[in-house]
């Protein structure tokens, strides 16, 4: 309740009379947020991906892992997550759901979690890559989090999604009109990686050219392959 005292002086040459009013503040709409969309993350870093929840009591977290046959298709599919500027509903909801079941990949994680927080209080939920991928493991993962409804038959309409490549592989690419070079290195050691497989692929995941990094970590391509995908594979680590 807001009240103004009777006789409160004003800047103008008159005195305000007694005034009272009751204001009601509605809770914020429930929201779920990830800190990134389609990004790489260091395999040997903190190994956490943080979820923010506001006014959500229960969530479901699911994950799919991609291999070299499915990752490019997943990256292309995820490009539809953000609505275009000319869509009518973009001001209210700039993102659209990517159907988890349609995304190519292997389901590796499915867990329900209870979120404890006060009204309008932001709760930070660290998702652990060791739980999702396995201890110390790398992998490209599609994460989908949705508010879990009390009625299991009711479809969730609130969620957030991200496609994260947890990797130790770093790549520097240089192109000319006729050639391309890729330097592959380890983020954890800073050293070049010899013996890594490097591919140039098109949107249909067809290999245009494949080569192996030399002793200095450099892969040389006969063509420049503009506007195509670069994939690096070393052991169980994969990065596009």
């Amino acid at each position: 309740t807001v009240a103004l005292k009777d006789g409160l002086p004003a800047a103008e040459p008159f005195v305000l009379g007694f005034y009272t009013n009751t204001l009601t503040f509605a809770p914020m709409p429930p929201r779920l947020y990830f800190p990134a969309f389609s990004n790489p993350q260091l395999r040997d870093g903190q190994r956490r991906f943080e979820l923010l929840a506001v006014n959500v009591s229960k969530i479901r977290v699911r994950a799919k892992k991609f291999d070299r046959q499915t990752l490019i298709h997943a990256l292309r599919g995820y490009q539809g997550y953000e609505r275009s500027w000319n869509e009518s509903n973009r001001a209210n909801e700039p993102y659209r759901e990517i159907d988890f079941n349609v995304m190519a990949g292997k389901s590796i994680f499915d867990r329900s979690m209870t979120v404890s927080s006060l009204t309008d209080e932001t709760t930070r939920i660290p998702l652990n890559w060791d739980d999702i991928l396995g201890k110390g493991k790398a992998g490209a993962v599609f994460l989908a989090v949705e508010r879990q409804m009390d009625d299991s038959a009711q479809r969730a309409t609130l969620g957030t999604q991200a496609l994260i490549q947890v990797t130790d592989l770093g790549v520097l690419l240089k192109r000319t009109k006729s050639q391309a070079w890729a330097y592959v290195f380890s983020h954890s050691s800073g050293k070049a990686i010899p013996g890594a497989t490097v591919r140039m692929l098109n949107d249909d995941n067809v290999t245009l050219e494949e080569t192996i990094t030399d002793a200095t970590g450099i892969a040389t391509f006969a063509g420049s392959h503009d506007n195509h995908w670069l994939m690096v594979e070393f052991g169980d680590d994969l990065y596009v």
Side-chain angles (χ1 to χ4, degrees):
T1 299
V2 178
L4 296 181
K5 183 179 179 182
D6 189 17
L8 186 69
E12 300 297 330
F14 58 81
V15 176
L16 295 175
F18 180 75
Y19 171 83
T20 182
N21 192 13
T22 300
L23 304 177
T24 302
F25 295 91
M28 294 172 58
R31 301 300 292 176
L32 293 166
Y33 296 104
F34 275 138
F37 298 104
S38 180
N39 284 65
Q41 193 172 23
L42 295 180
R43 182 197 65 189
D44 298 332
Q46 295 183 350
R47 295 191 64 79
R48 292 199 309 260
F49 194 62
E50 196 169 68
L51 171 71
L52 298 184
V54 180
N55 294 339
V56 176
S57 60
K58 195 173 184 180
I59 58 173
R60 182 187 185 189
V61 183
R62 291 183 291 172
K64 276 189 174 180
K65 184 180 179 182
F66 307 108
D67 57 23
R68 76 178 187 89
Q69 302 297 336
T70 56
L71 179 52
I72 287 177
H73 296 303
L75 288 166
R76 290 185 63 205
Y78 187 76
Q79 290 173 354
Y81 183 61
E82 186 171 1
R83 297 180 188 272
S84 62
W85 287 101
N86 59 359
E87 291 187 55
S88 59
N89 194 40
R90 194 185 193 284
N92 296 322
E93 179 50 71
Y95 309 106
R96 64 163 62 85
E97 178 186 12
I98 303 295
D99 191 335
F100 184 85
N101 298 312
V102 171
M103 289 291 274
K106 180 182 179 182
S107 295
I108 59 171
F109 190 83
D110 191 339
R111 185 176 297 177
S112 295
M113 302 179 183
T114 300
V115 181
S116 299
S117 64
L118 300 175
T119 300
D120 289 350
E121 182 181 82
T122 301
T123 301
R124 298 177 182 269
I125 305 166
L127 303 179
N128 194 315
W129 290 121
D130 286 344
D131 295 336
I132 297 171
L133 286 167
K135 188 171 180 59
K137 296 291 185 179
V141 177
F142 177 59
L143 281 175
V145 178
E146 60 189 30
R147 178 174 60 170
Q148 201 160 32
M149 311 301 291
D150 294 332
D151 182 0
S152 59
Q154 188 177 357
R155 186 181 182 279
T157 58
L158 174 67
T160 186
Q161 298 174 323
L163 204 166
I164 305 300
Q165 298 185 65
V166 181
T167 182
D168 184 50
L169 298 172
V171 187
L172 296 174
L173 180 65
K174 181 179 179 179
R175 283 191 174 107
T176 65
K177 292 182 178 180
S178 59
Q179 282 186 294
W181 298 265
Y183 171 64
V184 181
F185 62 95
S186 163
H187 281 291
S188 58
S189 69
K191 297 180 180 179
I193 299 179
T197 301
V198 187
R199 302 178 182 91
M200 291 282 191
L201 305 101
N202 64 15
D203 282 345
D204 294 321
N205 203 48
V206 175
T207 299
L208 304 173
E209 193 172 349
E210 178 179 320
T211 185
I212 305 295
T213 55
D214 60 20
T216 64
I218 295 177
T220 303
F221 295 92
S224 63
H225 304 293
D226 288 341
N227 302 319
H228 288 102
W229 300 91
L230 179 71
M231 176 184 288
V232 181
E233 189 171 12
F234 185 71
D236 62 354
D237 204 348
L238 179 71
Y239 178 57
V240 170

